[in-house]
Tab-separated table of all heavy atoms in Angstrom:
chain	number	residue	atom	x	y	z
A	138	TYR	N	-0.111	10.366	9.827
A	138	TYR	CA	0.155	9.085	9.090
A	138	TYR	C	1.038	9.353	7.943
A	138	TYR	O	0.913	10.310	7.180
A	138	TYR	CB	-1.181	8.565	8.587
A	138	TYR	CG	-1.116	7.187	7.954
A	138	TYR	CD1	-1.208	6.029	8.731
A	138	TYR	CD2	-0.890	7.040	6.589
A	138	TYR	CE1	-1.122	4.749	8.126
A	138	TYR	CE2	-0.794	5.762	5.964
A	138	TYR	CZ	-0.917	4.656	6.743
A	138	TYR	OH	-0.844	3.390	6.177
A	139	THR	N	2.050	8.471	7.796
A	139	THR	CA	2.965	8.532	6.669
A	139	THR	C	2.973	7.233	5.907
A	139	THR	O	3.078	6.154	6.496
A	139	THR	CB	4.370	8.808	7.202
A	139	THR	OG1	4.430	10.093	7.866
A	139	THR	CG2	5.418	8.821	6.086
A	140	CYS	N	2.769	7.323	4.578
A	140	CYS	CA	2.798	6.104	3.739
A	140	CYS	C	4.245	5.543	3.820
A	140	CYS	O	5.185	6.183	3.403
A	140	CYS	CB	2.432	6.388	2.287
A	140	CYS	SG	0.708	6.736	2.083
A	141	GLY	N	4.342	4.343	4.290
A	141	GLY	CA	5.680	3.762	4.499
A	141	GLY	C	6.197	3.001	3.290
A	141	GLY	O	5.576	3.033	2.185
A	178	ASN	N	3.183	2.880	7.901
A	178	ASN	CA	2.904	1.484	7.560
A	178	ASN	C	4.072	0.783	6.827
A	178	ASN	O	4.934	1.490	6.249
A	178	ASN	CB	1.669	1.379	6.717
A	178	ASN	CG	1.851	1.923	5.351
A	178	ASN	OD1	2.108	3.092	5.220
A	178	ASN	ND2	1.799	1.109	4.331
A	180	THR	N	4.399	-1.812	3.800
A	180	THR	CA	3.707	-2.502	2.749
A	180	THR	C	4.417	-3.849	2.412
A	180	THR	O	5.413	-3.868	1.757
A	180	THR	CB	3.596	-1.633	1.485
A	180	THR	OG1	2.836	-0.497	1.772
A	180	THR	CG2	2.978	-2.393	0.284
A	334	TRP	N	-3.704	-1.976	-2.982
A	334	TRP	CA	-2.720	-1.201	-2.255
A	334	TRP	C	-3.382	-0.066	-1.418
A	334	TRP	O	-3.081	0.130	-0.239
A	334	TRP	CB	-1.678	-0.623	-3.214
A	334	TRP	CG	-0.688	0.366	-2.634
A	334	TRP	CD1	-0.187	0.331	-1.367
A	334	TRP	CD2	-0.129	1.491	-3.288
A	334	TRP	NE1	0.694	1.396	-1.219
A	334	TRP	CE2	0.700	2.080	-2.373
A	334	TRP	CE3	-0.291	2.005	-4.572
A	334	TRP	CZ2	1.503	3.225	-2.701
A	334	TRP	CZ3	0.489	3.143	-4.884
A	334	TRP	CH2	1.323	3.756	-3.998
A	335	HIS	N	-4.262	0.660	-2.047
A	335	HIS	CA	-4.861	1.826	-1.397
A	335	HIS	C	-5.597	1.514	-0.127
A	335	HIS	O	-5.563	2.266	0.890
A	335	HIS	CB	-5.804	2.584	-2.334
A	335	HIS	CG	-5.274	2.743	-3.714
A	335	HIS	ND1	-4.004	3.185	-4.010
A	335	HIS	CD2	-5.824	2.415	-4.945
A	335	HIS	CE1	-3.796	3.138	-5.314
A	335	HIS	NE2	-4.903	2.709	-5.888
A	337	GLU	N	-5.055	-0.643	2.078
A	337	GLU	CA	-4.246	-0.927	3.259
A	337	GLU	C	-4.024	0.361	4.107
A	337	GLU	O	-4.108	0.346	5.325
A	337	GLU	CB	-2.913	-1.617	2.933
A	337	GLU	CG	-1.842	-0.804	2.329
A	337	GLU	CD	-0.530	-1.573	2.242
A	337	GLU	OE1	-0.427	-2.648	1.602
A	337	GLU	OE2	0.415	-1.052	2.781
A	338	CYS	N	-3.713	1.476	3.415
A	338	CYS	CA	-3.504	2.726	4.167
A	338	CYS	C	-4.768	3.210	4.845
A	338	CYS	O	-4.739	3.747	5.975
A	338	CYS	CB	-2.888	3.789	3.244
A	338	CYS	SG	-1.180	3.419	2.905
A	339	THR	N	-5.892	3.052	4.116
A	339	THR	CA	-7.171	3.428	4.768
A	339	THR	C	-7.434	2.615	6.034
A	339	THR	O	-7.716	3.179	7.075
A	339	THR	CB	-8.316	3.150	3.718
A	339	THR	OG1	-8.265	4.194	2.723
A	339	THR	CG2	-9.676	3.227	4.410
A	353	HIS	N	-1.598	13.779	6.980
A	353	HIS	CA	-1.199	12.667	6.162
A	353	HIS	C	-0.035	13.101	5.289
A	353	HIS	O	-0.125	14.144	4.630
A	353	HIS	CB	-2.390	12.182	5.334
A	353	HIS	CG	-2.207	10.819	4.728
A	353	HIS	ND1	-1.090	10.386	4.052
A	353	HIS	CD2	-3.056	9.715	4.699
A	353	HIS	CE1	-1.273	9.128	3.667
A	353	HIS	NE2	-2.453	8.679	4.063
A	354	THR	N	1.076	12.346	5.265
A	354	THR	CA	2.234	12.763	4.387
A	354	THR	C	2.565	11.666	3.449
A	354	THR	O	2.235	10.501	3.643
A	354	THR	CB	3.459	13.138	5.181
A	354	THR	OG1	4.077	11.891	5.673
A	354	THR	CG2	3.123	13.975	6.420
A	359	LEU	N	2.485	10.192	-4.852
A	359	LEU	CA	1.361	9.413	-4.286
A	359	LEU	C	0.030	10.147	-4.322
A	359	LEU	O	-1.033	9.604	-3.985
A	359	LEU	CB	1.702	9.059	-2.846
A	359	LEU	CG	2.886	8.099	-2.596
A	359	LEU	CD1	2.963	7.668	-1.147
A	359	LEU	CD2	2.832	6.867	-3.474
A	363	HIS	N	-3.005	7.116	-5.486
A	363	HIS	CA	-3.021	6.523	-4.137
A	363	HIS	C	-3.804	7.289	-3.095
A	363	HIS	O	-4.737	6.799	-2.507
A	363	HIS	CB	-1.539	6.229	-3.683
A	363	HIS	CG	-1.488	5.518	-2.390
A	363	HIS	ND1	-2.117	4.329	-2.146
A	363	HIS	CD2	-0.822	5.798	-1.236
A	363	HIS	CE1	-1.871	3.895	-0.885
A	363	HIS	NE2	-1.085	4.782	-0.339
A	364	HIS	N	-3.405	8.578	-2.938
A	364	HIS	CA	-4.111	9.319	-1.867
A	364	HIS	C	-5.531	9.721	-2.221
A	364	HIS	O	-6.431	9.758	-1.401
A	364	HIS	CB	-3.231	10.544	-1.486
A	364	HIS	CG	-2.000	10.178	-0.775
A	364	HIS	ND1	-0.919	11.043	-0.644
A	364	HIS	CD2	-1.615	9.037	-0.150
A	364	HIS	CE1	0.044	10.414	0.052
A	364	HIS	NE2	-0.387	9.226	0.341
A	367	GLU	N	-7.430	6.707	-1.415
A	367	GLU	CA	-7.586	6.568	0.046
A	367	GLU	C	-8.739	7.426	0.553
A	367	GLU	O	-9.515	6.988	1.369
A	367	GLU	CB	-6.270	7.080	0.757
A	367	GLU	CG	-5.205	6.021	0.928
A	367	GLU	CD	-4.071	6.499	1.815
A	367	GLU	OE1	-4.331	7.155	2.839
A	367	GLU	OE2	-2.933	6.311	1.454
A	383	TRP	N	-2.934	17.577	4.176
A	383	TRP	CA	-2.102	16.651	3.327
A	383	TRP	C	-0.828	17.355	2.987
A	383	TRP	O	-0.852	18.427	2.352
A	383	TRP	CB	-2.853	16.278	2.049
A	383	TRP	CG	-4.004	15.387	2.238
A	383	TRP	CD1	-5.321	15.719	2.564
A	383	TRP	CD2	-4.015	13.943	2.112
A	383	TRP	NE1	-6.083	14.556	2.659
A	383	TRP	CE2	-5.339	13.481	2.404
A	383	TRP	CE3	-2.990	13.017	1.836
A	383	TRP	CZ2	-5.641	12.152	2.349
A	383	TRP	CZ3	-3.349	11.660	1.789
A	383	TRP	CH2	-4.662	11.234	2.052
B	681	LIG	ZN1	-0.402	4.924	1.624
Side-chain angles (χ1 to χ4, degrees):
Y138 185 88
T139 296
C140 288
N178 69 297
T180 296
W334 172 34
H335 318 309
E337 76 170 57
C338 286
T339 286
H353 196 311
T354 77
L359 296 188
H363 185 52
H364 289 163
E367 270 188 45
W383 287 87

